[in-house]
Short mmCIF file of all heavy atoms in Angstrom, two decimals:
data_model
loop_
_atom_site.label_atom_id
_atom_site.label_comp_id
_atom_site.label_asym_id
_atom_site.label_seq_id
_atom_site.Cartn_x
_atom_site.Cartn_y
_atom_site.Cartn_z
N MET G 1 0.85 -1.14 -0.03
CA MET G 1 0.00 -0.01 0.03
C MET G 1 0.94 1.25 0.01
O MET G 1 1.74 1.35 0.79
CB MET G 1 -0.93 -0.06 1.29
CG MET G 1 -1.82 1.14 1.32
SD MET G 1 -2.85 1.26 2.78
CE MET G 1 -3.54 -0.30 2.94
N GLY G 2 0.61 2.19 -0.87
CA GLY G 2 1.42 3.38 -0.92
C GLY G 2 0.92 4.43 0.00
O GLY G 2 -0.09 4.31 0.61
N ILE G 3 1.59 5.58 -0.14
CA ILE G 3 1.22 6.78 0.66
C ILE G 3 -0.12 7.31 0.21
O ILE G 3 -1.04 7.60 1.03
CB ILE G 3 2.31 7.80 0.58
CG1 ILE G 3 3.60 7.29 1.31
CG2 ILE G 3 1.88 9.07 1.27
CD1 ILE G 3 4.73 8.19 1.11
N GLY G 4 -0.34 7.27 -1.14
CA GLY G 4 -1.62 7.84 -1.59
C GLY G 4 -2.81 6.99 -1.18
O GLY G 4 -3.82 7.51 -0.81
N ALA G 5 -2.69 5.76 -1.29
CA ALA G 5 -3.73 4.81 -0.85
C ALA G 5 -4.06 4.95 0.68
O ALA G 5 -5.21 4.92 1.06
CB ALA G 5 -3.42 3.35 -1.24
N SER G 6 -3.02 5.11 1.48
CA SER G 6 -3.15 5.27 2.91
C SER G 6 -3.91 6.53 3.23
O SER G 6 -4.85 6.60 4.04
CB SER G 6 -1.82 5.24 3.64
OG SER G 6 -1.08 4.03 3.43
N ILE G 7 -3.45 7.69 2.52
CA ILE G 7 -4.19 8.89 2.85
C ILE G 7 -5.68 8.86 2.28
O ILE G 7 -6.45 9.35 2.99
CB ILE G 7 -3.37 10.07 2.10
CG1 ILE G 7 -2.01 10.22 2.85
CG2 ILE G 7 -4.15 11.33 2.03
CD1 ILE G 7 -1.09 11.15 2.10
N LEU G 8 -5.90 8.21 1.24
CA LEU G 8 -7.20 7.97 0.76
C LEU G 8 -8.12 7.23 1.79
O LEU G 8 -9.17 7.65 2.02
CB LEU G 8 -7.27 7.22 -0.55
CG LEU G 8 -8.58 7.05 -1.21
CD1 LEU G 8 -9.22 8.22 -1.68
CD2 LEU G 8 -8.45 6.00 -2.38
N LEU G 9 -7.59 6.16 2.31
CA LEU G 9 -8.35 5.39 3.32
C LEU G 9 -8.58 6.30 4.53
O LEU G 9 -9.71 6.21 5.12
CB LEU G 9 -7.52 4.12 3.74
CG LEU G 9 -7.52 2.99 2.68
CD1 LEU G 9 -6.61 1.80 3.25
CD2 LEU G 9 -8.95 2.50 2.49
N ILE G 10 -7.58 7.04 4.96
CA ILE G 10 -7.79 7.92 6.08
C ILE G 10 -8.88 8.94 5.84
O ILE G 10 -9.83 9.19 6.63
CB ILE G 10 -6.56 8.56 6.51
CG1 ILE G 10 -5.52 7.55 7.11
CG2 ILE G 10 -6.70 9.70 7.53
CD1 ILE G 10 -4.13 8.18 7.25
N ALA G 11 -8.87 9.46 4.66
CA ALA G 11 -9.89 10.55 4.30
C ALA G 11 -11.31 9.91 4.20
O ALA G 11 -12.29 10.49 4.81
CB ALA G 11 -9.51 11.18 2.93
N VAL G 12 -11.44 8.76 3.47
CA VAL G 12 -12.68 8.18 3.40
C VAL G 12 -13.26 7.69 4.88
O VAL G 12 -14.46 7.91 5.10
CB VAL G 12 -12.72 7.02 2.45
CG1 VAL G 12 -13.90 6.22 2.52
CG2 VAL G 12 -12.41 7.48 1.01
N GLY G 13 -12.33 7.17 5.62
CA GLY G 13 -12.72 6.79 6.98
C GLY G 13 -13.14 8.00 7.83
O GLY G 13 -14.11 7.88 8.59
N ALA G 14 -12.44 9.13 7.72
CA ALA G 14 -12.88 10.32 8.44
C ALA G 14 -14.18 10.92 7.96
O ALA G 14 -15.00 11.20 8.79
CB ALA G 14 -11.81 11.39 8.32
N ILE G 15 -14.42 10.76 6.77
CA ILE G 15 -15.83 11.25 6.23
C ILE G 15 -16.88 10.29 6.72
O ILE G 15 -17.96 10.76 7.23
CB ILE G 15 -15.88 11.24 4.69
CG1 ILE G 15 -14.91 12.37 4.13
CG2 ILE G 15 -17.22 11.37 4.19
CD1 ILE G 15 -14.67 12.33 2.69
N LEU G 16 -16.63 8.98 6.71
CA LEU G 16 -17.72 8.09 7.21
C LEU G 16 -17.80 8.14 8.76
O LEU G 16 -18.93 7.97 9.23
CB LEU G 16 -17.29 6.64 6.84
CG LEU G 16 -17.46 6.22 5.34
CD1 LEU G 16 -16.98 4.78 5.20
CD2 LEU G 16 -18.87 6.42 4.89
N ALA G 17 -16.75 8.37 9.48
CA ALA G 17 -16.76 8.49 10.85
C ALA G 17 -17.36 9.71 11.41
O ALA G 17 -18.11 9.66 12.43
CB ALA G 17 -15.40 8.21 11.50
N PHE G 18 -17.20 10.88 10.77
CA PHE G 18 -17.50 12.14 11.32
C PHE G 18 -18.66 12.90 10.64
O PHE G 18 -19.32 13.62 11.17
CB PHE G 18 -16.26 13.01 11.44
CG PHE G 18 -15.25 12.47 12.22
CD1 PHE G 18 -13.92 12.29 11.65
CD2 PHE G 18 -15.32 12.06 13.51
CE1 PHE G 18 -12.95 11.70 12.42
CE2 PHE G 18 -14.37 11.44 14.30
CZ PHE G 18 -13.13 11.36 13.70
N ALA G 19 -18.73 12.67 9.26
CA ALA G 19 -19.68 13.46 8.43
C ALA G 19 -20.90 12.85 8.07
O ALA G 19 -21.88 13.50 7.62
CB ALA G 19 -18.85 13.99 7.20
N VAL G 20 -21.01 11.48 8.04
CA VAL G 20 -22.14 10.86 7.46
C VAL G 20 -23.05 10.58 8.62
O VAL G 20 -22.69 9.94 9.59
CB VAL G 20 -21.66 9.45 6.85
CG1 VAL G 20 -22.88 8.64 6.40
CG2 VAL G 20 -20.73 9.79 5.54
N ASP G 21 -24.36 10.87 8.41
CA ASP G 21 -25.35 10.56 9.35
C ASP G 21 -26.38 9.75 8.65
O ASP G 21 -27.49 10.15 8.29
CB ASP G 21 -26.00 11.84 9.84
CG ASP G 21 -26.94 11.53 10.98
OD1 ASP G 21 -26.76 10.56 11.69
OD2 ASP G 21 -27.82 12.42 11.26
N PHE G 22 -26.07 8.46 8.46
CA PHE G 22 -26.87 7.54 7.72
C PHE G 22 -26.88 6.30 8.46
O PHE G 22 -25.95 5.76 8.81
CB PHE G 22 -26.39 7.29 6.26
CG PHE G 22 -27.25 6.57 5.40
CD1 PHE G 22 -28.39 7.12 4.86
CD2 PHE G 22 -26.86 5.25 4.99
CE1 PHE G 22 -29.19 6.43 3.94
CE2 PHE G 22 -27.65 4.58 4.14
CZ PHE G 22 -28.81 5.14 3.58
N ASN G 23 -28.14 5.59 8.52
CA ASN G 23 -28.32 4.31 9.28
C ASN G 23 -28.61 3.18 8.29
O ASN G 23 -29.44 3.32 7.43
CB ASN G 23 -29.31 4.46 10.34
CG ASN G 23 -28.88 5.47 11.41
OD1 ASN G 23 -27.74 5.44 11.74
ND2 ASN G 23 -29.90 6.16 11.99
N ILE G 24 -27.84 2.10 8.44
CA ILE G 24 -28.12 0.88 7.74
C ILE G 24 -28.34 -0.14 8.77
O ILE G 24 -27.53 -0.31 9.70
CB ILE G 24 -27.00 0.42 6.75
CG1 ILE G 24 -26.83 1.50 5.67
CG2 ILE G 24 -27.31 -0.86 6.14
CD1 ILE G 24 -25.71 1.27 4.81
N SER G 25 -29.49 -0.98 8.64
CA SER G 25 -29.76 -1.94 9.66
C SER G 25 -28.63 -3.02 9.74
O SER G 25 -28.23 -3.53 8.56
CB SER G 25 -31.07 -2.60 9.46
OG SER G 25 -31.07 -3.25 8.26
N GLY G 26 -28.07 -3.27 10.79
CA GLY G 26 -27.02 -4.33 10.91
C GLY G 26 -25.62 -3.81 10.48
O GLY G 26 -24.63 -4.57 10.60
N LEU G 27 -25.51 -2.43 10.18
CA LEU G 27 -24.15 -2.02 9.84
C LEU G 27 -23.94 -0.64 10.49
O LEU G 27 -24.85 0.25 10.22
CB LEU G 27 -24.16 -1.96 8.33
CG LEU G 27 -22.80 -1.60 7.69
CD1 LEU G 27 -21.81 -2.74 7.87
CD2 LEU G 27 -22.99 -1.36 6.15
N ASP G 28 -22.87 -0.47 11.09
CA ASP G 28 -22.58 0.93 11.76
C ASP G 28 -21.49 1.53 10.90
O ASP G 28 -20.38 1.19 10.85
CB ASP G 28 -22.04 0.70 13.17
CG ASP G 28 -22.05 1.99 13.91
OD1 ASP G 28 -22.32 2.98 13.35
OD2 ASP G 28 -21.57 1.88 15.11
N ILE G 29 -21.96 2.63 10.19
CA ILE G 29 -21.06 3.36 9.28
C ILE G 29 -19.93 4.00 10.02
O ILE G 29 -18.83 4.06 9.53
CB ILE G 29 -21.91 4.52 8.60
CG1 ILE G 29 -22.99 3.81 7.66
CG2 ILE G 29 -20.93 5.40 7.69
CD1 ILE G 29 -22.44 3.06 6.53
N HIS G 30 -20.18 4.43 11.31
CA HIS G 30 -19.08 5.14 12.07
C HIS G 30 -17.94 4.20 12.40
O HIS G 30 -16.84 4.55 12.41
CB HIS G 30 -19.63 5.78 13.34
CG HIS G 30 -20.80 6.78 13.06
ND1 HIS G 30 -20.44 7.99 12.43
CD2 HIS G 30 -22.05 6.72 13.19
CE1 HIS G 30 -21.59 8.63 12.28
NE2 HIS G 30 -22.60 7.93 12.72
N VAL G 31 -18.28 2.99 12.74
CA VAL G 31 -17.25 1.87 13.07
C VAL G 31 -16.53 1.58 11.79
O VAL G 31 -15.22 1.43 11.80
CB VAL G 31 -17.98 0.69 13.57
CG1 VAL G 31 -16.92 -0.48 13.75
CG2 VAL G 31 -18.65 0.90 14.91
N ILE G 32 -17.12 1.47 10.61
CA ILE G 32 -16.39 1.20 9.29
C ILE G 32 -15.42 2.39 9.15
O ILE G 32 -14.34 2.21 8.69
CB ILE G 32 -17.41 1.08 8.20
CG1 ILE G 32 -18.21 -0.25 8.41
CG2 ILE G 32 -16.73 1.04 6.90
CD1 ILE G 32 -19.31 -0.53 7.46
N GLY G 33 -15.95 3.68 9.36
CA GLY G 33 -15.05 4.78 9.23
C GLY G 33 -13.79 4.67 10.12
O GLY G 33 -12.70 5.00 9.62
N TRP G 34 -13.94 4.34 11.34
CA TRP G 34 -12.83 4.22 12.33
C TRP G 34 -11.93 3.11 11.84
O TRP G 34 -10.64 3.17 11.92
CB TRP G 34 -13.30 3.94 13.70
CG TRP G 34 -13.66 5.27 14.39
CD1 TRP G 34 -14.95 5.72 14.57
CD2 TRP G 34 -12.78 6.32 14.75
NE1 TRP G 34 -14.87 6.95 15.09
CE2 TRP G 34 -13.58 7.39 15.21
CE3 TRP G 34 -11.40 6.50 14.76
CZ2 TRP G 34 -13.02 8.51 15.79
CZ3 TRP G 34 -10.86 7.63 15.27
CH2 TRP G 34 -11.71 8.68 15.78
N ILE G 35 -12.52 1.99 11.31
CA ILE G 35 -11.63 0.91 10.88
C ILE G 35 -10.80 1.28 9.63
O ILE G 35 -9.60 1.05 9.58
CB ILE G 35 -12.50 -0.36 10.51
CG1 ILE G 35 -13.07 -0.95 11.75
CG2 ILE G 35 -11.63 -1.31 9.65
CD1 ILE G 35 -14.14 -2.05 11.50
N LEU G 36 -11.39 2.08 8.70
CA LEU G 36 -10.62 2.59 7.58
C LEU G 36 -9.53 3.59 8.02
O LEU G 36 -8.50 3.59 7.49
CB LEU G 36 -11.55 3.28 6.51
CG LEU G 36 -12.52 2.38 5.76
CD1 LEU G 36 -13.37 3.14 4.95
CD2 LEU G 36 -11.70 1.34 4.93
N ILE G 37 -9.83 4.38 9.06
CA ILE G 37 -8.80 5.27 9.56
C ILE G 37 -7.60 4.51 10.05
O ILE G 37 -6.40 4.78 9.79
CB ILE G 37 -9.41 6.28 10.62
CG1 ILE G 37 -10.33 7.25 9.97
CG2 ILE G 37 -8.30 7.01 11.37
CD1 ILE G 37 -11.12 8.14 10.90
N VAL G 38 -7.93 3.52 10.94
CA VAL G 38 -6.80 2.75 11.55
C VAL G 38 -6.03 2.02 10.49
O VAL G 38 -4.79 1.92 10.47
CB VAL G 38 -7.43 1.73 12.52
CG1 VAL G 38 -6.40 0.74 12.95
CG2 VAL G 38 -8.00 2.48 13.72
N VAL G 39 -6.74 1.41 9.45
CA VAL G 39 -5.94 0.64 8.38
C VAL G 39 -5.12 1.65 7.59
O VAL G 39 -3.98 1.38 7.26
CB VAL G 39 -7.00 -0.10 7.44
CG1 VAL G 39 -6.30 -0.53 6.22
CG2 VAL G 39 -7.60 -1.20 8.30
N GLY G 40 -5.65 2.86 7.35
CA GLY G 40 -4.86 3.88 6.65
C GLY G 40 -3.62 4.32 7.36
O GLY G 40 -2.52 4.46 6.80
N VAL G 41 -3.84 4.51 8.73
CA VAL G 41 -2.67 4.94 9.54
C VAL G 41 -1.59 3.80 9.64
O VAL G 41 -0.36 4.11 9.46
CB VAL G 41 -2.99 5.32 10.95
CG1 VAL G 41 -1.86 5.47 11.90
CG2 VAL G 41 -3.91 6.63 10.93
N ILE G 42 -2.01 2.56 9.74
CA ILE G 42 -1.08 1.40 9.80
C ILE G 42 -0.41 1.29 8.40
O ILE G 42 0.81 1.08 8.32
CB ILE G 42 -1.83 0.06 10.10
CG1 ILE G 42 -2.29 0.11 11.59
CG2 ILE G 42 -0.91 -1.08 9.82
CD1 ILE G 42 -3.19 -1.01 11.94
N GLY G 43 -1.08 1.44 7.30
CA GLY G 43 -0.57 1.51 6.04
C GLY G 43 0.54 2.55 5.75
O GLY G 43 1.57 2.34 5.23
N LEU G 44 0.20 3.81 6.29
CA LEU G 44 1.19 4.90 6.20
C LEU G 44 2.38 4.59 6.99
O LEU G 44 3.58 4.93 6.54
CB LEU G 44 0.48 6.08 6.73
CG LEU G 44 1.03 7.45 6.40
CD1 LEU G 44 1.20 7.74 4.92
CD2 LEU G 44 0.36 8.54 7.08
N ILE G 45 2.27 4.01 8.15
CA ILE G 45 3.47 3.73 9.03
C ILE G 45 4.17 2.58 8.38
O ILE G 45 5.48 2.74 8.32
CB ILE G 45 3.02 3.32 10.48
CG1 ILE G 45 2.43 4.60 11.16
CG2 ILE G 45 4.14 2.74 11.18
CD1 ILE G 45 1.80 4.24 12.54
N MET G 46 3.62 1.61 7.82
CA MET G 46 4.37 0.53 7.16
C MET G 46 5.05 0.95 5.92
O MET G 46 6.17 0.53 5.64
CB MET G 46 3.42 -0.64 6.84
CG MET G 46 2.83 -1.30 8.06
SD MET G 46 4.05 -2.02 9.15
CE MET G 46 4.62 -3.47 8.17
N THR G 47 4.43 1.83 5.19
CA THR G 47 5.03 2.33 3.99
C THR G 47 6.33 3.17 4.30
O THR G 47 7.38 3.03 3.73
CB THR G 47 4.03 3.19 3.22
OG1 THR G 47 2.93 2.54 2.89
CG2 THR G 47 4.67 3.88 1.95
N ALA G 48 6.16 4.05 5.40
CA ALA G 48 7.28 4.75 5.84
C ALA G 48 8.45 3.86 6.30
O ALA G 48 9.65 4.20 6.06
CB ALA G 48 6.93 5.78 6.87
N LEU G 49 8.21 2.79 7.10
CA LEU G 49 9.23 2.00 7.63
C LEU G 49 9.81 0.94 6.73
O LEU G 49 11.08 0.79 6.61
CB LEU G 49 8.64 1.18 8.84
CG LEU G 49 8.26 1.97 10.11
CD1 LEU G 49 7.66 1.06 11.17
CD2 LEU G 49 9.44 2.74 10.66
N ILE G 50 9.04 0.52 5.77
CA ILE G 50 9.54 -0.55 4.82
C ILE G 50 10.13 0.08 3.62
O ILE G 50 11.19 -0.24 3.21
CB ILE G 50 8.36 -1.55 4.52
CG1 ILE G 50 8.04 -2.37 5.68
CG2 ILE G 50 8.82 -2.50 3.39
CD1 ILE G 50 6.89 -3.23 5.45
N TRP G 51 9.45 0.96 2.94
CA TRP G 51 9.82 1.57 1.68
C TRP G 51 10.70 2.71 1.87
O TRP G 51 11.52 3.05 1.01
CB TRP G 51 8.65 1.92 0.74
CG TRP G 51 7.91 0.67 0.37
CD1 TRP G 51 6.69 0.40 0.77
CD2 TRP G 51 8.29 -0.32 -0.58
NE1 TRP G 51 6.31 -0.79 0.18
CE2 TRP G 51 7.22 -1.28 -0.60
CE3 TRP G 51 9.46 -0.50 -1.34
CZ2 TRP G 51 7.36 -2.42 -1.41
CZ3 TRP G 51 9.60 -1.65 -2.11
CH2 TRP G 51 8.43 -2.52 -2.21
N GLY G 52 10.60 3.46 3.02
CA GLY G 52 11.45 4.59 3.14
C GLY G 52 12.96 4.37 3.21
O GLY G 52 13.72 5.05 2.47
N PRO G 53 13.49 3.40 3.91
CA PRO G 53 14.89 3.18 3.96
C PRO G 53 15.46 2.68 2.50
O PRO G 53 16.53 2.95 2.23
CB PRO G 53 15.01 2.10 5.06
CG PRO G 53 13.83 2.23 5.96
CD PRO G 53 12.76 2.64 5.04
N ARG G 54 14.69 1.89 1.81
CA ARG G 54 15.11 1.41 0.57
C ARG G 54 15.26 2.50 -0.41
O ARG G 54 16.24 2.57 -1.18
CB ARG G 54 14.15 0.41 0.00
CG ARG G 54 14.07 -0.89 0.68
CD ARG G 54 13.10 -1.84 0.08
NE ARG G 54 13.00 -3.04 0.84
CZ ARG G 54 12.20 -4.03 0.54
NH1 ARG G 54 11.38 -3.93 -0.56
NH2 ARG G 54 12.11 -5.12 1.37
N ARG G 55 14.33 3.46 -0.39
CA ARG G 55 14.51 4.61 -1.36
C ARG G 55 15.63 5.44 -1.02
O ARG G 55 16.36 6.02 -1.82
CB ARG G 55 13.20 5.43 -1.39
CG ARG G 55 12.09 4.63 -1.97
CD ARG G 55 10.81 5.47 -2.12
NE ARG G 55 9.83 4.70 -2.77
CZ ARG G 55 8.55 4.81 -2.50
NH1 ARG G 55 8.14 5.76 -1.68
NH2 ARG G 55 7.63 4.03 -3.09
N ARG G 56 15.96 5.62 0.36
CA ARG G 56 17.07 6.50 0.68
C ARG G 56 18.40 5.86 0.40
O ARG G 56 19.33 6.45 -0.06
CB ARG G 56 16.97 6.74 2.21
CG ARG G 56 16.24 8.00 2.51
CD ARG G 56 16.29 8.40 3.88
NE ARG G 56 15.00 8.25 4.54
CZ ARG G 56 14.68 7.33 5.52
NH1 ARG G 56 15.63 6.72 6.05
NH2 ARG G 56 13.45 7.23 5.86
N ARG G 57 18.36 4.55 0.55
CA ARG G 57 19.59 3.74 0.34
C ARG G 57 19.89 3.76 -1.22
O ARG G 57 21.02 3.81 -1.62
CB ARG G 57 19.47 2.33 0.83
CG ARG G 57 20.82 1.65 1.08
CD ARG G 57 20.65 0.29 1.76
NE ARG G 57 19.60 0.32 2.75
CZ ARG G 57 18.72 -0.59 2.89
NH1 ARG G 57 18.69 -1.63 1.99
NH2 ARG G 57 17.83 -0.66 3.79
N ALA G 58 18.87 3.61 -2.04
CA ALA G 58 19.15 3.52 -3.52
C ALA G 58 19.58 4.97 -4.03
O ALA G 58 20.27 4.97 -4.94
CB ALA G 58 17.86 3.18 -4.19
N ALA G 59 19.10 6.07 -3.33
CA ALA G 59 19.56 7.36 -3.81
C ALA G 59 20.96 7.59 -3.50
O ALA G 59 21.76 8.31 -4.17
CB ALA G 59 18.59 8.38 -3.15
N ALA G 60 21.47 7.02 -2.40
CA ALA G 60 22.94 7.28 -1.91
C ALA G 60 23.77 6.08 -2.31
O ALA G 60 24.84 5.85 -1.69
CB ALA G 60 22.91 7.49 -0.43
N ALA G 61 23.35 5.30 -3.29
CA ALA G 61 24.08 4.05 -3.67
C ALA G 61 25.46 4.23 -4.29
O ALA G 61 26.30 3.44 -4.06
CB ALA G 61 23.25 3.19 -4.62
N PRO G 62 25.73 5.31 -5.06
CA PRO G 62 27.02 5.36 -5.78
C PRO G 62 28.25 5.51 -4.81
O PRO G 62 28.50 6.49 -4.25
CB PRO G 62 27.00 6.58 -6.69
CG PRO G 62 25.51 7.11 -6.53
CD PRO G 62 24.92 6.46 -5.43
N THR G 63 28.85 4.29 -4.55
CA THR G 63 29.94 4.23 -3.59
C THR G 63 31.28 4.16 -4.40
O THR G 63 32.42 4.61 -3.82
CB THR G 63 29.86 3.04 -2.72
OG1 THR G 63 29.83 1.87 -3.42
CG2 THR G 63 28.69 3.20 -1.73
N SER G 64 31.28 3.68 -5.66
CA SER G 64 32.43 3.65 -6.40
C SER G 64 32.31 4.72 -7.53
O SER G 64 31.26 4.96 -8.09
CB SER G 64 32.70 2.29 -7.01
OG SER G 64 31.63 1.92 -7.81
N ARG G 65 33.53 5.28 -7.91
CA ARG G 65 33.51 6.32 -8.96
C ARG G 65 34.11 5.79 -10.12
O ARG G 65 35.12 5.01 -10.15
CB ARG G 65 34.25 7.53 -8.43
CG ARG G 65 33.50 8.23 -7.32
CD ARG G 65 34.34 9.45 -6.68
NE ARG G 65 34.92 10.21 -7.77
CZ ARG G 65 35.68 11.21 -7.55
NH1 ARG G 65 35.87 11.69 -6.31
NH2 ARG G 65 36.27 11.95 -8.57
N VAL G 66 33.64 6.14 -11.29
CA VAL G 66 34.25 5.83 -12.62
C VAL G 66 34.87 7.11 -13.16
O VAL G 66 34.07 8.12 -13.30
CB VAL G 66 33.18 5.18 -13.51
CG1 VAL G 66 33.79 4.89 -14.88
CG2 VAL G 66 32.57 3.98 -12.97
N GLU G 67 36.15 7.00 -13.47
CA GLU G 67 36.81 8.14 -14.06
C GLU G 67 37.29 7.75 -15.45
O GLU G 67 37.76 6.71 -15.74
CB GLU G 67 37.98 8.59 -13.16
CG GLU G 67 37.65 9.14 -11.86
CD GLU G 67 38.82 9.59 -11.02
OE1 GLU G 67 39.96 9.70 -11.67
OE2 GLU G 67 38.71 9.84 -9.88
N GLU G 68 37.14 8.69 -16.36
CA GLU G 68 37.54 8.57 -17.70
C GLU G 68 38.68 9.66 -17.96
O GLU G 68 38.44 10.80 -17.77
CB GLU G 68 36.47 8.70 -18.60
CG GLU G 68 36.88 8.60 -20.13
CD GLU G 68 35.67 8.68 -20.96
OE1 GLU G 68 34.53 8.58 -20.53
OE2 GLU G 68 35.84 8.98 -22.22
N ARG G 69 39.85 9.10 -18.37
CA ARG G 69 40.87 10.11 -18.68
C ARG G 69 41.26 9.97 -20.18
O ARG G 69 41.35 8.85 -20.69
CB ARG G 69 42.13 9.72 -17.93
CG ARG G 69 41.96 9.93 -16.39
CD ARG G 69 43.19 9.55 -15.63
NE ARG G 69 42.96 9.69 -14.24
CZ ARG G 69 43.78 9.47 -13.33
NH1 ARG G 69 44.97 9.13 -13.61
NH2 ARG G 69 43.48 9.56 -12.04
N ARG G 70 41.23 11.10 -20.81
CA ARG G 70 41.48 11.22 -22.28
C ARG G 70 42.87 11.72 -22.49
O ARG G 70 43.33 12.70 -21.92
CB ARG G 70 40.48 12.03 -22.97
CG ARG G 70 39.09 11.37 -22.78
CD ARG G 70 38.11 12.26 -23.55
NE ARG G 70 36.73 11.74 -23.36
CZ ARG G 70 35.70 12.19 -23.99
NH1 ARG G 70 35.78 13.26 -24.78
NH2 ARG G 70 34.61 11.62 -23.81
N VAL G 71 43.62 11.00 -23.36
CA VAL G 71 44.99 11.48 -23.68
C VAL G 71 45.00 11.81 -25.14
O VAL G 71 44.62 10.99 -25.99
CB VAL G 71 46.02 10.31 -23.45
CG1 VAL G 71 47.43 10.72 -23.90
CG2 VAL G 71 45.93 9.92 -21.98
N TYR G 72 45.39 13.09 -25.46
CA TYR G 72 45.42 13.52 -26.83
C TYR G 72 46.87 13.62 -27.25
O TYR G 72 47.81 14.07 -26.59
CB TYR G 72 44.86 14.95 -26.84
CG TYR G 72 43.42 15.03 -26.57
CD1 TYR G 72 43.04 15.42 -25.21
CD2 TYR G 72 42.51 14.57 -27.48
CE1 TYR G 72 41.62 15.44 -24.93
CE2 TYR G 72 41.11 14.68 -27.09
CZ TYR G 72 40.79 15.03 -25.84
OH TYR G 72 39.42 15.01 -25.53
N ASP G 73 47.17 12.92 -28.48
CA ASP G 73 48.51 12.78 -29.01
C ASP G 73 48.56 13.78 -30.26
O ASP G 73 47.89 13.45 -31.30
CB ASP G 73 48.81 11.35 -29.35
CG ASP G 73 50.21 11.32 -29.84
OD1 ASP G 73 51.11 12.15 -29.63
OD2 ASP G 73 50.53 10.18 -30.48
N ASP G 74 49.17 14.86 -30.12
CA ASP G 74 49.35 15.72 -31.25
C ASP G 74 50.62 15.36 -31.99
O ASP G 74 51.71 16.06 -31.76
CB ASP G 74 49.31 17.16 -30.79
CG ASP G 74 47.94 17.63 -30.26
OD1 ASP G 74 47.00 17.02 -30.65
OD2 ASP G 74 47.96 18.55 -29.44
N GLY G 75 50.52 14.47 -32.85
CA GLY G 75 51.66 14.10 -33.67
C GLY G 75 51.78 14.98 -34.89
O GLY G 75 51.01 15.95 -35.07
N PRO G 76 52.77 14.73 -35.80
CA PRO G 76 52.94 15.49 -36.96
C PRO G 76 51.71 15.26 -37.86
O PRO G 76 51.13 14.16 -37.92
CB PRO G 76 54.20 14.98 -37.68
CG PRO G 76 54.43 13.60 -37.09
CD PRO G 76 53.79 13.69 -35.68
N PRO G 77 51.36 16.26 -38.64
CA PRO G 77 50.13 16.12 -39.52
C PRO G 77 50.35 15.16 -40.61
O PRO G 77 51.48 15.03 -41.14
CB PRO G 77 49.94 17.54 -40.03
CG PRO G 77 51.16 18.30 -39.86
CD PRO G 77 51.92 17.65 -38.69
N ALA G 78 49.36 14.46 -41.02
CA ALA G 78 49.42 13.48 -42.02
C ALA G 78 49.45 14.16 -43.45
O ALA G 78 48.79 15.09 -43.62
CB ALA G 78 48.35 12.47 -41.97
N VAL G 79 50.35 13.72 -44.35
CA VAL G 79 50.39 14.30 -45.66
C VAL G 79 49.64 13.61 -46.71
O VAL G 79 49.42 12.54 -46.78
CB VAL G 79 51.85 14.49 -46.08
CG1 VAL G 79 51.91 15.15 -47.42
CG2 VAL G 79 52.68 15.24 -45.06
#
């Protein structure tokens, strides 16, 4: 789950938990909203802990340098 999906779950969960006043028999919309908020927060934390170090390590990966040296030989002109 990426950062975008986690934020989407948190937003939808907050809308269901706080802004919706709708009743369905046998289903509590507010509880579903809180579950989506919790899943979104867990997904956001897992994304930061698992994918964050890999991206930082990949960006700082060049440990060896490649150098190219060019030697120009200005000999006598060809006739």
Side-chain angles (χ1 to χ4, degrees):
M1 180 184 310
I3 293 174
S6 299
I7 292 174
L8 179 71
L9 285 176
I10 292 170
V12 170
I15 290 170
L16 289 177
F18 303 123
V20 174
D21 188 26
F22 187 73
N23 293 324
I24 298 175
S25 63
L27 189 65
D28 192 1
I29 298 292
H30 301 290
V31 173
I32 292 174
W34 279 106
I35 291 171
L36 289 176
I37 291 172
V38 169
V39 169
V41 168
I42 290 172
L44 193 62
I45 291 171
M46 294 300 289
T47 301
L49 291 178
I50 292 174
W51 293 109
R54 290 184 185 177
R55 290 186 181 149
R56 270 187 250 120
R57 206 175 315 135
T63 55
S64 63
R65 292 176 42 181
V66 176
E67 292 185 14
E68 180 180 339
R69 295 182 184 177
R70 297 183 181 183
V71 178
Y72 296 100
D73 185 18
D74 291 334
V79 183

